[in-house]
Amino acid sequence: MHQEPGLSGCGKRHKHRRRRETGVHYGPAGSGRGGVHTDQTVRWNAKRGTAAILLSGPLPSTPGDPVLADGGLHTGARGAYSHGDSAVARMSELVAASPVYQVYPRSFKDSDGDGVGDLKGVLEQLDHFQYLNIKSVWISPFYRSPMKDFGYDVEDFRAIDPLFGTMKDFEDLLAEMHNKGLKLIMDFIPNHTSDRHRWFNLSRTRDPHYSDYYVWADCNTSAPPNNWVSIFGNSSWTYDEVRGQCYLHQFLKEQPDLNFRNPDVRREMIDIIHFWLEKGVDGFRMDAVKHILEAAHFRDEPQVDPKKPPELVTTEWDLYHDYTTSQLGLHDLLREWRADMDTYSREPGRYRFMVSESYDYHEVDKTMMYYGTPQVKESDFPFNFYLLDLPQNTSGLWAQHLVHLWMSNMPKGKWPNWVVGNHDRPRIASSAGQNYIRVINMLLLTLPGTPTTYYGEEIGMENINVTDSQIQDPAGKYNSSLSRDPQRSPMQWSNDTNAGFNNKANVTWLPVHPDYRTVNVEVQKKDEGSVLAQYRFLNTLRQSELPLHRGWFCYVHTDANVFSYIRELDGLDQAFLIVLNFGKESVTTDLSSVHELPDQLEVLMSTNKANNGKVLRKSHILTEAGVGLVIKYSTHTRFNPNHSGECYISEKACYLRVIDILYKC
């Protein structure tokens, strides 16, 4: 939700941040931090003809599937998962098997011609998810809201905003998604409400029950209680004339913070979770969780620059947030929600998923805490935002660094995830360059774990230009350079009017990108070499090949241009070599020292389709800038046993070909 616009996950803007002693080991991925986990027995029962890791149904075989040099899709060992008490087991039917696709509903599809996307519009486009072999869809907020922050300012947690439709529209959407084997993940926004919420109006009048539902402090109109600063700039306190006190808002003044030290507030929010779980939703993205609690003492936060005059402390980057983020008790609260959600996960096939959103920048150890502990479950995973920094330095070394930052710190036995774009950050095709969108998608879909795809990334959509008069984003109205509107433009479905987003009226809430006549779903479906076709092929390959889904991930080679790794599975004689050129020039990679690789390697798929089917010598692997290769090879020699310090696996599994079974070994 509230990522500070234009700011980096671990980039130069944050070099002044104070370092904390965390005790986190930054060792090799295979050193124990990666989580080889072998203390339980979990079996995989074979079901020939059904992909091991698909939620349901066979692999797509519709006309237009990308065809490789051998004339068909490649599939490997297959089997169906049998539930077990492990990270992979719990998630396998929801998000471990498929990318999570983020829908920003205002911009996805407008069904009624008012210029704004809606729930019926999402319903109209469900076939798009099936075409991509997407199984899990996260839809950004559609609660009733005054829309000061486009739905992240909630007026009623149990109602649909009329802009997006009705509760019946939601129920119809959810039912049809489930009919098609799709899972729906909602945004849950616990930190604050809208200032138009009933609770806030009762709190400001000091209603006996609701008086302490929000964070209030004595103050006057000219002197806030302390120096705390809002994410959007200036004081995070606003004086309320009705109550005669200031209320805390870590975001907009129209978004007052709830007081989670009040047990009644905690009960209210659990009741809201129950409401939507009973509707049948499959999980929640927990928004802005690090802000949920703040220190009760209200002390001033220390300044980054102690010499700066206090009156000039106006942005969040001027302070160390020792008292307003990641406070003691936060994880107890999240674990309480997790335990409550687990009571709804007892029905077979109805696991309820939980992901946390927390931008912790260089303090990666704080992010890892959202995984929980071996004894107490919390999030299935916290969102991994470090790949958002790929555009800072397009190089193989930088890509490997960002991947290793997560892998080397992730707790034992946990499941990784990867994000390259969302509604708060510039589109990756714009920030990294259109030349790199294909290789970034290849990275996303061949790394271990769960990828997240922001709508439009599958076709290479770019940011739009927004003039000052067109700005809709409240952050942009505060500072036009911080506007998030450019990455929220309407989805480009076709070369029809308004890119097919709205064909009933010539109006859209934000402008459509002018390239929509060539960059759209309809056009790219007809081109086997398009960004869309390659995304679809890679996603299908990922789900149908056990080494890509459940196998070892091993670093093989990294330099200024190329990042290369192996995906392999013990007991299976087929593996994958991934070679990705993130640099600015064509280079030849020499892997002759990697004895586990055969001398001759055939390209299964390349982001440059002219390379498909080529046979390369491992000593001479040529890649152009922005080009990636997926190479499938046969071998009886595994790479991981002799390179444990370069390899990672979440939960070790072995394949037994004789009876077509995958088991925990």
Side-chain angles (χ1 to χ4, degrees):
M1 163 201 175
H2 296 296
Q3 157 68 355
E4 299 79 335
L7 298 178
S8 148
C10 57
K12 296 178 181 177
R13 180 73 179 269
H14 312 292
K15 64 184 179 181
H16 61 274
R17 288 290 198 184
R18 182 169 56 194
R19 289 284 177 182
R20 315 284 182 169
E21 291 300 324
T22 64
V24 174
H25 172 61
Y26 287 76
S31 63
R33 300 297 303 170
V36 177
H37 204 50
T38 59
D39 58 343
Q40 302 175 22
T41 300
V42 178
R43 296 186 64 80
W44 295 65
N45 298 321
K47 287 188 179 179
R48 294 182 183 274
T50 303
I53 44 190
L54 295 179
L55 288 166
S56 62
L59 287 170
S61 58
T62 54
D65 278 333
V67 178
L68 299 180
D70 62 359
L73 292 169
H74 286 242
T75 57
R78 299 176 176 186
Y81 186 70
S82 175
H83 289 285
D85 186 21
S86 66
V88 179
R90 294 195 307 269
M91 292 192 299
S92 65
E93 292 190 6
L94 185 54
V95 297
S98 161
V100 173
Y101 186 104
Q102 182 189 356
V103 167
Y104 193 66
R106 296 180 69 93
S107 301
F108 198 63
K109 184 67 165 67
D110 174 16
S111 71
D112 58 12
D114 66 355
V116 178
D118 46 49
L119 295 178
K120 283 186 176 179
V122 179
L123 179 64
E124 290 176 3
Q125 298 297 334
L126 293 184
D127 287 348
H128 181 62
F129 306 131
Q130 292 193 300
Y131 176 79
L132 293 175
N133 207 20
I134 295 289
K135 303 298 179 183
S136 301
V137 181
W138 154 35
I139 304 179
S140 294
F142 44 79
Y143 303 104
R144 182 184 293 276
S145 167
M147 297 295 164
K148 296 295 184 181
D149 192 18
F150 296 140
Y152 286 98
D153 50 320
V154 180
E155 183 178 349
D156 187 343
F157 285 102
R158 293 180 174 86
I160 307 296
D161 195 274
L163 191 67
F164 299 123
T166 65
M167 185 60 76
K168 184 178 185 305
D169 293 336
F170 169 78
E171 291 167 349
D172 290 346
L173 172 63
L174 181 61
E176 187 59 20
M177 288 181 69
H178 286 170
N179 286 340
K180 291 179 178 291
L182 300 170
K183 306 295 185 180
L184 191 153
I185 300 167
M186 285 183 62
D187 257 313
F188 183 62
I189 306 163
N191 180 67
H192 49 261
T193 70
S194 165
D195 61 354
R196 288 171 50 178
H197 197 289
R198 182 177 66 90
W199 300 342
F200 186 71
N201 288 319
L202 290 168
S203 187
R204 66 200 298 246
T205 58
R206 297 181 187 265
D207 178 277
H209 181 72
Y210 293 96
S211 182
D212 293 329
Y213 264 46
Y214 295 83
V215 181
W216 295 95
D218 292 331
C219 66
N220 58 52
T221 55
S222 60
N226 55 36
N227 71 343
W228 296 356
V229 175
S230 161
I231 296 297
F232 289 105
N234 298 319
S235 177
S236 59
W237 296 95
T238 291
Y239 182 76
D240 181 70
E241 292 184 355
V242 173
R243 179 156 171 147
Q245 283 186 305
C246 282
Y247 64 87
L248 177 69
H249 53 89
Q250 295 200 57
F251 296 94
L252 296 173
K253 64 181 179 62
E254 293 87 358
Q255 295 170 297
D257 276 35
L258 286 164
N259 175 18
F260 275 91
R261 301 189 186 283
N262 182 339
D264 290 331
V265 171
R266 296 169 81 123
R267 280 190 290 269
E268 293 270 18
M269 300 311 281
I270 285 179
D271 286 345
I272 291 165
I273 291 174
H274 289 176
F275 174 83
W276 291 105
L277 290 177
E278 287 167 8
K279 288 280 184 187
V281 302
D282 299 288
F284 294 104
R285 166 194 176 268
M286 301 298 185
D287 178 70
V289 291
K290 74 176 184 179
H291 299 280
I292 289 175
L293 288 174
E294 51 285 316
H297 53 61
F298 293 166
R299 296 174 191 156
D300 280 355
E301 292 190 312
Q303 294 183 196
V304 172
D305 178 4
K307 297 179 181 179
K308 192 169 190 175
E311 63 272 16
L312 298 181
V313 174
T314 58
T315 77
E316 63 161 333
W317 307 108
D318 292 328
L319 298 172
Y320 294 117
H321 297 288
D322 292 348
Y323 307 138
T324 55
T325 64
S326 305
Q327 296 299 293
L328 187 65
L330 167 63
H331 292 280
D332 293 333
L333 179 62
L334 294 173
R335 290 165 190 170
E336 181 181 349
W337 293 345
R338 169 77 271 172
D340 219 59
M341 290 174 64
D342 280 349
T343 64
Y344 287 82
S345 298
R346 293 171 182 165
E347 180 185 350
R350 292 308 310 274
Y351 180 75
R352 308 305 174 98
F353 168 74
M354 175 173 159
V355 60
S356 299
E357 182 219 30
S358 181
Y359 288 87
D360 295 304
Y361 308 108
H362 70 267
E363 296 179 299
V364 65
D365 58 303
K366 288 186 176 180
T367 303
M368 295 302 162
M369 291 180 69
Y370 294 104
Y371 275 114
T373 71
Q375 291 76 35
V376 185
K377 292 191 296 185
E378 198 168 316
S379 300
D380 290 290
F381 51 72
F383 269 138
N384 171 7
F385 296 119
Y386 292 100
L387 286 186
L388 291 170
D389 287 336
L390 269 173
Q392 290 184 13
N393 179 1
T394 49
S395 75
L397 289 167
W398 181 241
Q400 194 267 356
H401 164 74
L402 295 177
V403 169
H404 191 65
L405 184 65
W406 193 268
M407 302 301 261
S408 62
N409 286 284
M410 190 173 66
K412 179 179 180 179
K414 299 300 183 180
W415 187 253
N417 74 103
W418 314 95
V419 177
V420 298
N422 60 31
H423 58 291
D424 286 326
R425 296 297 298 268
R427 287 192 174 275
I428 196 72
S430 293
S431 54
Q434 187 64 237
N435 191 44
Y436 294 94
I437 183 63
R438 296 166 186 264
V439 73
I440 289 172
N441 278 340
M442 183 174 281
L443 172 73
L444 193 70
L445 293 168
T446 57
L447 286 171
T450 298
T452 297
T453 292
Y454 182 50
Y455 82 96
E457 286 175 357
E458 73 273 29
I459 59 173
M461 279 179 60
E462 297 189 68
N463 290 351
I464 59 169
N465 292 320
V466 179
T467 65
D468 287 350
S469 64
Q470 293 172 319
I471 290 176
Q472 303 290 322
D473 182 22
K477 292 178 178 179
Y478 169 72
N479 181 340
S480 61
S481 68
L482 301 181
S483 175
R484 298 164 294 182
D485 290 332
Q487 58 263 30
R488 298 176 176 182
S489 62
M491 177 66 176
Q492 294 162 207
W493 294 106
S494 69
N495 57 12
D496 292 339
T497 303
N498 300 319
F501 166 74
N502 167 7
N503 53 19
K504 295 185 176 179
N506 192 22
V507 57
T508 58
W509 79 283
L510 282 173
V512 174
H513 198 289
D515 71 1
Y516 77 91
R517 294 192 183 277
T518 56
V519 180
N520 66 67
V521 173
E522 188 177 85
V523 165
Q524 293 194 17
K525 276 186 175 181
K526 300 172 184 176
D527 178 4
E528 291 180 354
S530 68
V531 175
L532 178 67
Q534 292 182 356
Y535 179 97
R536 182 180 186 233
F537 177 85
L538 286 166
N539 188 33
T540 301
L541 185 73
R542 174 186 178 274
Q543 295 183 49
S544 62
E545 292 282 4
L546 287 175
L548 291 175
H549 179 65
R550 285 296 314 274
W552 288 91
F553 167 76
C554 299
Y555 301 118
V556 171
H557 175 85
T558 307
D559 60 33
N561 294 285
V562 169
F563 175 33
S564 182
Y565 47 90
I566 283 174
R567 303 301 313 279
E568 64 181 19
L569 184 71
D570 292 326
L572 195 62
D573 61 4
Q574 292 182 329
F576 292 87
L577 171 68
I578 314 298
V579 183
L580 308 173
N581 188 336
F582 287 99
K584 294 179 170 57
E585 59 187 8
S586 297
V587 293
T588 299
T589 302
D590 181 1
L591 297 182
S592 57
S593 63
V594 183
H595 303 298
E596 293 85 356
L597 291 174
D599 292 333
Q600 301 289 320
L601 298 164
E602 183 175 352
V603 177
L604 174 65
M605 183 261 183
S606 171
T607 56
N608 177 357
K609 66 177 183 178
N611 294 326
N612 290 352
K614 283 186 177 180
V615 177
L616 309 174
R617 300 193 312 275
K618 69 176 179 180
S619 61
H620 195 274
I621 302 174
L622 176 65
T623 53
E624 302 91 355
V627 167
L629 307 175
V630 174
I631 296 169
K632 186 176 183 179
Y633 62 95
S634 297
T635 180
H636 297 293
T637 306
R638 300 274 75 77
F639 182 87
N640 72 83
N642 297 320
H643 305 273
S644 60
E646 302 299 321
C647 293
Y648 157 88
I649 195 165
S650 177
E651 186 174 81
K652 189 176 179 183
C654 296
Y655 177 66
L656 186 59
R657 179 177 296 279
V658 175
I659 54 174
D660 191 21
I661 207 170
L662 184 68
Y663 63 98
K664 193 168 178 182
C665 53

